[in-house]
Amino acid sequence: MTTSLFSRRAWAAALLGLAAGMALAQPTTTITMASTTSTEQSGLFGHLLPAFTKATGIGVKVVAVGTGQAIDMARRGDADVLFVHDRPAEEKYVADGFAPRRYDVMYNDFVLVGPRSDPAAVKGKDIGVALRKIAATNAPFISRGDKSGTSAAELRAWKDAGVQAKGSGYRECGCGMGPDLNIASSGSAYTLTDRGTWLSFRNRGDLAILVEGDKRLFNQYGVMIVSPQKHPHVNVAGAQKFVDWVISPEGQATIASYRIDGQQLFFPNANAH
């Protein structure tokens, strides 16, 4: 055998091996996940989903919208799995028969951010006191106003604070958490954000965390398989594998290992109850 022939055969074998390796690396099936913008914009999914695909061979297509829109999407059968953060809405979704069960996955918290000068003097640990001061001083406040889990939490906080007239500075952007923070930053306004998106947000300008630590700002995430009884076409096997993995020790450890600037963004609690 000549050297050139040997070289050609060696190259051919190497290329075949590379192609086989690439084929093995490709997902064998794909699921569609309806989720909230905070899991996407915080960078969590960029960390979590490749680990899931590596473990199972299943790819994930994420549609990241507000939690309300994600739930509506799942109700229509346009997703296989739902991963969101508005527990009352999630429990209603299950009660209405659109998912067989809801699973706790992880938590973090909401924080109130605003200009460092804090013109409404809201700094502290009581979200109710802070919102009452914002309303009384007509301070600028940007609300997502998009049926998201964050928007729902914000509206509950205003209601719990006994505030009906939120002040002339209150504005709804009808947008995701990132754009909401951009508007607040450019306008030196207050806003409520999940901590994960805040830690990954780089255009903070003069914004700083002013209210945190109130137990009413607890932010729980849940995951659900879209009911195959309601929507027989869903990839229930793939969705079940994702749920099983994300609540498993491996999935929970992967969530816990996601950090930005040394800070953990989400805290796994699938087995806490």
Side-chain angles (χ1 to χ4, degrees):
M1 182 183 297
T2 67
T3 301
S4 61
L5 180 58
F6 176 81
S7 297
R8 287 197 298 271
R9 288 182 175 176
W11 272 108
L15 289 171
L16 284 172
L18 179 62
M22 290 176 65
L24 288 172
Q26 298 302 311
T28 56
T29 186
T30 300
I31 58 172
T32 297
M33 178 189 297
S35 190
T36 176
T37 58
S38 61
T39 46
E40 180 85 340
Q41 293 176 357
S42 66
L44 173 67
F45 279 163
H47 173 80
L48 182 70
L49 299 185
F52 167 69
T53 299
K54 182 178 180 181
T56 65
I58 299 172
V60 184
K61 175 187 175 184
V62 177
V63 180
V65 290
T67 284
Q69 292 172 279
I71 291 175
D72 289 343
M73 180 181 168
R75 281 181 180 270
R76 296 192 301 267
D78 293 334
D80 304 304
V81 65
L82 180 63
F83 194 158
V84 288
H85 65 140
D86 183 356
R87 187 162 194 149
E90 294 165 39
E91 291 176 344
K92 184 177 190 307
Y93 177 83
V94 173
D96 289 345
F98 286 93
R101 182 180 171 185
R102 178 198 169 279
Y103 301 82
D104 281 344
V105 178
M106 62 189 189
Y107 70 91
N108 60 11
D109 62 345
F110 295 107
V111 294
L112 184 74
V113 301
R116 292 180 186 277
S117 60
D118 191 16
V122 304
K123 189 172 179 62
K125 293 186 176 181
D126 192 316
I127 187 63
V129 169
L131 293 178
R132 287 192 289 272
K133 287 182 176 180
I134 288 171
T137 58
N138 295 311
F141 185 99
I142 307 301
S143 170
R144 284 182 59 175
D146 63 347
K147 292 180 62 181
S148 63
T150 304
S151 181
E154 178 218 314
L155 292 176
R156 284 195 297 271
W158 285 109
K159 183 178 180 180
D160 291 345
V163 177
Q164 293 183 337
K166 302 179 182 71
S168 60
Y170 185 88
R171 297 287 184 273
E172 292 184 351
C173 70
C175 60
M177 197 69 255
D180 176 290
L181 283 167
N182 277 321
I183 295 169
S185 176
S186 63
S188 296
Y190 295 92
T191 193
L192 189 74
T193 175
D194 67 283
R195 190 183 293 270
T197 304
W198 171 254
L199 288 174
S200 63
F201 183 67
R202 296 306 180 193
N203 185 33
R204 296 178 182 175
D206 193 42
L207 295 184
I209 293 177
L210 297 174
V211 178
E212 60 182 327
D214 191 320
K215 64 181 181 180
R216 291 168 292 186
L217 296 177
F218 181 78
N219 182 28
Q220 177 71 50
Y221 288 78
V223 66
M224 292 142 280
I225 298 166
V226 175
S227 171
Q229 282 70 44
K230 292 281 189 180
H231 301 291
H233 65 276
V234 303
N235 185 347
V236 66
Q240 185 67 62
K241 284 187 177 180
F242 176 78
V243 170
D244 290 344
W245 183 84
V246 82
I247 66 174
S248 74
E250 181 182 359
Q252 294 280 279
T254 304
I255 290 170
S257 68
Y258 181 56
R259 295 172 181 267
I260 292 179
D261 298 333
Q263 296 189 68
Q264 185 173 337
L265 274 70
F266 299 94
F267 298 83
N269 67 341
N271 301 310
H273 303 289

